[in-house]
Amino acid sequence: TQLLEQSPQFLSIQEGENLTVYCNSSSVFSSLQWYRQEPGEGPVLLVTVVTGGEVKKLKRLTFQFGDARKDSSLHITAAQPGDTGLYLCAGAGTSYDKVIFGPGTSLSVIP
Amino acid sequence: KAGVTQTPRYLIKTRGQQVTLSCSPISGHRSVSWYQQTPGQGLQFLFEYFSETQRNKGNFPGRFSGRQFSNSRSEMNVSTLELGDSALYLCASSLTNYGYTFGSGTRLTVV
């Protein structure tokens, strides 16, 4: 059974600080996705990484896929209050597998 | 283009009743997946439909069922509702499993 773990579970930081969120598994994934979810809404896709070692940047967000395709990280530079939300990683073993989600990291950025 | 539409947004049901939730995917997306989200369990995969066929299934009891129509619209049904079925039910559509577009969800409360 594939499982995704995320750490930390909760994170509360001051505006302007940097942070990293981790997503780990003992299984290999064909792709990993990161989503952000706000209360009462569905998750919104931020990025998909498919190649081991891949790094993608989205403004102040940097995503990395581990070389072995078992883990990923999300780094936010100079966090802003608008970054507040639940960050979820998700992945599938193959292109036809179900997509499973990690438990999420709840981020609060204090002005 | 229109996003994923889920109806209704909120629902209150009594234990023992049944409920049907609806999801209209993005035009052209043939895959529709359903998830249950609760504070304690996170996003749990229910099932995925592709071209009217169930392609993947999660570990939920038979009370949870779904179907997909020829226009890709999907419905899920929960029979004999239990208090523990109270959750946010999310529908996601996609072209591949490399990235989902989620609806805003249906908040089901069982009393």
Side-chain angles (χ1 to χ4, degrees):
Chain A
T1 302
Q2 291 182 317
L3 286 174
L4 281 167
E5 299 176 338
Q6 287 187 243
S7 60
Q9 187 178 358
F10 299 98
L11 197 51
S12 181
I13 61 171
Q14 294 291 132
E15 182 177 0
E17 292 184 351
N18 301 332
L19 67 116
T20 302
V21 175
Y22 299 93
C23 174
N24 297 287
S25 176
S26 58
S27 303
V28 175
F29 289 89
S30 63
S31 72
L32 273 180
Q33 304 150 31
W34 285 92
Y35 295 80
R36 190 176 89 203
Q37 185 180 22
E38 298 190 14
E41 295 295 328
V44 175
L45 179 68
L46 297 173
V47 78
T48 300
V49 284
V50 298
T51 304
E54 182 177 3
V55 177
K56 279 192 174 179
K57 292 191 176 183
L58 187 66
K59 296 183 181 178
R60 294 177 294 100
L61 278 60
T62 301
F63 304 86
Q64 185 162 7
F65 200 10
D67 290 341
R69 305 207 320 273
K70 293 182 179 182
D71 57 271
S72 181
S73 63
L74 158 60
H75 182 79
I76 300 179
T77 302
Q80 299 177 0
D83 296 326
T84 293
L86 180 67
Y87 287 82
L88 296 155
C89 68
T94 72
S95 58
Y96 296 105
D97 275 345
K98 63 185 181 184
V99 174
I100 63 167
F101 280 77
T105 292
S106 180
L107 172 65
S108 177
V109 182
I110 302 164
Chain B
K1 58 184 178 182
V4 177
T5 302
Q6 289 189 246
T7 56
R9 274 287 261 149
Y10 301 93
L11 207 47
I12 300 175
K13 289 287 189 178
T14 305
R15 271 183 304 174
Q17 288 186 314
Q18 75 166 21
V19 66
T20 299
L21 312 182
S22 179
C23 173
S24 293
I26 289 174
S27 178
H29 286 190
R30 290 193 289 166
S31 172
V32 174
S33 298
W34 289 88
Y35 289 83
Q36 180 196 67
Q37 186 175 32
T38 59
Q41 298 296 318
L43 269 95
Q44 298 292 309
F45 176 80
L46 281 156
F47 26 67
E48 179 201 6
Y49 286 88
F50 182 85
S51 294
E52 302 179 65
T53 300
Q54 188 179 83
R55 185 158 72 175
N56 286 295
K57 187 178 187 304
N59 298 321
F60 278 81
R63 301 186 296 108
F64 291 81
S65 63
R67 59 178 175 169
Q68 186 179 32
F69 302 96
S70 58
N71 62 358
S72 292
R73 190 177 71 85
S74 179
E75 289 181 346
M76 68 162 282
N77 183 278
V78 188
S79 62
T80 320
L81 283 166
E82 300 177 359
L83 294 178
D85 297 333
S86 294
L88 179 66
Y89 289 88
L90 291 161
C91 163
S93 80
S94 63
L95 288 171
T96 69
N97 66 358
Y98 283 7
Y100 284 166
T101 301
F102 279 88
S104 297
T106 294
R107 171 71 64 184
L108 172 65
T109 302
V110 182
V111 298

